[in-house]
Amino acid sequence: MVVILPGWVWRGGPVRRAMVTGLSAGVFSGAFVLAESGSWVGAVAAVLVLGPFYGVRVARRMGRVWPGAGDLDPADRVAVVRAARRGEEIGDARLAPAVVDYCNGLRTAREHDRLLWVVLAFAALAVALALIDTFSGSTRQAGVSWLFVLFFLVELTWWPRKQARVMSCAERAERSARRVLRQSESSGE
């Protein structure tokens, strides 16, 4: 998941990152609960329970993936992430080590990311629930359940391609940053 987070999420510290990612996930989940059940109480509960859980989990994971992020000011952090995600040269020799560090973190995150299995399990569960809703639920419930299945299908096709593209760009940016580091070492800076 950390691999596909946009660069602007890195702008703030861990608390802001937890709030941004958690609120996004909570509102998304709450909207599905509201659409499925029509219950505002359930929707608010989803936001209040899933939002903080997801936000804290993602913020902690981001901190483990790139511990050096805390040493940079927010603008530099975003510049490093954007350069890496776009495969661009950082253009600032002092940020080249941060690009290498961030790219190493992305590689580690991708290697340890077991979320695909979770998405597959939830997709299978979503199909089962959609079938149950189709045969025994209301039309609204069946429609929302199949929409949820569609969400998982999009996630399962989009996510691996997005990860591969980001990793390819990160490798290009890392090679560029290493070149900048070698040049600055050879020039004695």
Side-chain angles (χ1 to χ4, degrees), residues 3-174:
V3 174
I4 61 173
L5 288 173
W8 60 266
V9 174
W10 287 96
R11 184 172 306 281
V15 172
R16 181 170 184 250
R17 292 191 296 259
M19 289 175 56
V20 167
T21 57
L23 185 60
S24 301
V27 168
F28 183 76
S29 301
F32 264 108
V33 168
L34 181 62
E36 172 79 22
S37 67
S39 168
W40 282 97
V41 173
V44 170
V47 171
L48 294 177
V49 172
L50 293 175
F53 173 77
Y54 185 80
V56 168
R57 181 182 179 277
V58 170
R60 289 185 68 212
R61 181 114 167 97
M62 290 172 77
R64 282 193 304 265
V65 164
W66 187 24
D71 299 335
L72 300 173
D73 66 51
D76 287 343
R77 250 191 327 265
V78 172
V80 166
V81 172
R82 283 192 178 144
R85 291 175 52 83
R86 293 177 181 167
E88 299 171 346
E89 187 173 315
I90 189 65
D92 186 347
R94 71 182 177 80
L95 294 178
V99 171
V100 172
D101 191 32
Y102 175 72
C103 292
N104 285 334
L106 284 181
R107 205 171 4 270
T108 301
R110 186 171 190 202
E111 290 168 2
H112 293 102
D113 195 358
R114 309 241 189 305
L115 205 51
L116 181 60
W117 293 107
V118 173
V119 173
L120 284 171
F122 276 104
L125 180 63
V127 169
L129 291 175
L131 288 170
I132 291 169
D133 285 345
T134 299
F135 294 113
S136 64
S138 69
T139 304
R140 179 184 71 183
Q141 287 174 324
V144 171
S145 292
W146 285 108
L147 182 64
F148 208 60
V149 169
L150 180 63
F151 163 74
F152 279 112
L153 289 175
V154 168
E155 188 74 11
L156 286 169
T157 57
W158 168 81
W159 187 9
R161 287 187 311 210
K162 178 70 173 177
Q163 264 193 340
R165 189 168 9 120
V166 168
M167 292 308 297
S168 174
C169 289
E171 288 169 5
R172 200 167 46 245
E174 183 179 16

